[in-house]
Amino acid sequence: MSKLKLAVMISGRGSNLQALIDACAPPGFPAEIILVLSNRPGAKGLDRATEAGIPTKVIDHKNFTDRAAFDAEMTAAMEGAGTDLVCLAGFMRLLSDEFVDHWRDRMINIHPSLLPAFKGLDVQERVLERGARFAGCTVHYVRKEMDTGPIIVQAVVPVLADDTPDDLAARILVREHEIYPLAVRLIAEGRVSIDEKDRAVIAGAVSSEKSVVNPVG
Ligand code: GRF
């Protein structure tokens, strides 16, 4: 069985990258990471990849005057490596429409909120400001508008009294590390399709108390 080839795009810490590295380690997992790409030379995630024996490439956005050229270079690197699926994992640059179009239905992202609520940055500050009772994370296909696109898996955590944004982010991160590998596995098993309303539908999905993968269909 040939494995789904993943390219993971990072800008920093890389804890979700690590979760994917760990998930891909058992021989039976249906995906493998073939390339880790960073726009920041010092990203800690690069060390994690090297440690795991995964090829890395730094494409420093500061060396590019226009976004299109930067994005084209990233696409060339990932296509050259034979990428089937791009996993954004804390990649902190906006992507051009051309890039998103090129990788349509072949690029996923993880975001630390229950989308479509709380898109963008400083999510947990805003969750606490608004007094939301539940928070969580979402793995979704990428569309042109930031933090939109078909939802593949979500997990929920409670917001507790006296939570700081960091407390909440840490509680959510634990769940991120569960649902990102789960979403990759579902895609690699060929179980995810997109319906006419641009929703992701998972064949044979069973939701658990830990994560919800198929509210429609
Ligand atoms: C995560 O919270 C992820 O949801 C968001 O950026 C953060 C990346 O963290 N998109 P890490 O680099 O994977 O540790």
Side-chain angles (χ1 to χ4, degrees):
M1 181 198 70
S2 82
K3 296 190 180 214
L4 192 77
K5 294 183 170 55
L6 312 177
V8 184
M9 290 173 56
I10 62 166
S11 298
R13 177 177 63 176
S15 72
N16 278 288
L17 165 65
Q18 188 67 56
L20 291 173
I21 291 172
D22 295 345
C24 288
F29 194 78
E32 61 182 333
I33 303 172
I34 53 153
L35 180 66
V36 171
L37 215 149
S38 173
N39 66 310
R40 294 220 179 100
K44 185 168 182 287
L46 290 167
D47 299 335
R48 299 178 188 268
T50 303
E51 181 86 6
I54 298 166
T56 61
K57 187 165 174 70
V58 175
I59 301 179
D60 188 343
H61 62 274
K62 294 195 187 112
N63 297 337
F64 293 79
T65 44
D66 72 301
R67 188 179 301 278
F70 170 67
D71 286 3
E73 180 113 356
M74 292 194 297
T75 288
M78 294 192 290
E79 288 291 12
T83 301
D84 297 316
L85 181 72
V86 176
C87 300
L88 303 177
F91 185 74
M92 300 302 285
R93 301 290 298 169
L94 290 177
L95 301 167
S96 66
D97 287 355
E98 293 70 25
F99 187 85
V100 174
D101 269 344
H102 181 91
W103 294 101
R104 189 184 167 93
D105 298 343
R106 296 192 294 152
M107 178 160 62
I108 62 176
N109 180 46
I110 185 153
H111 181 75
S113 81
L114 295 170
L115 292 174
F118 299 110
K119 295 169 182 158
L121 298 174
D122 301 323
V123 174
Q124 308 325 330
E125 281 83 349
R126 289 185 285 125
V127 166
L128 294 174
E129 262 167 33
R130 295 297 296 273
R133 267 51 173 170
F134 288 96
C137 44
T138 304
V139 181
H140 63 98
Y141 282 105
V142 176
R143 296 290 184 259
K144 285 174 191 159
E145 202 185 315
M146 190 174 61
D147 299 327
T148 66
I151 291 167
I152 305 163
V153 187
Q154 292 187 308
V156 178
V157 303
V159 179
L160 302 181
D162 304 325
D163 264 351
T164 64
D166 284 350
D167 294 335
L168 189 51
R171 192 173 308 123
I172 292 167
L173 196 63
V174 173
R175 312 307 303 280
E176 292 187 37
H177 297 163
E178 296 166 358
I179 69 168
Y180 215 174
L182 171 59
V184 166
R185 183 166 61 77
L186 292 169
I187 293 169
E189 289 173 350
R191 291 165 62 187
V192 185
S193 56
I194 312 272
D195 75 5
E196 70 286 350
K197 290 185 171 169
D198 207 30
R199 299 176 300 191
V201 180
I202 289 111
V206 181
S207 296
S208 69
E209 275 185 19
K210 284 192 155 187
S211 62
V212 176
V213 294
N214 213 20
V216 295

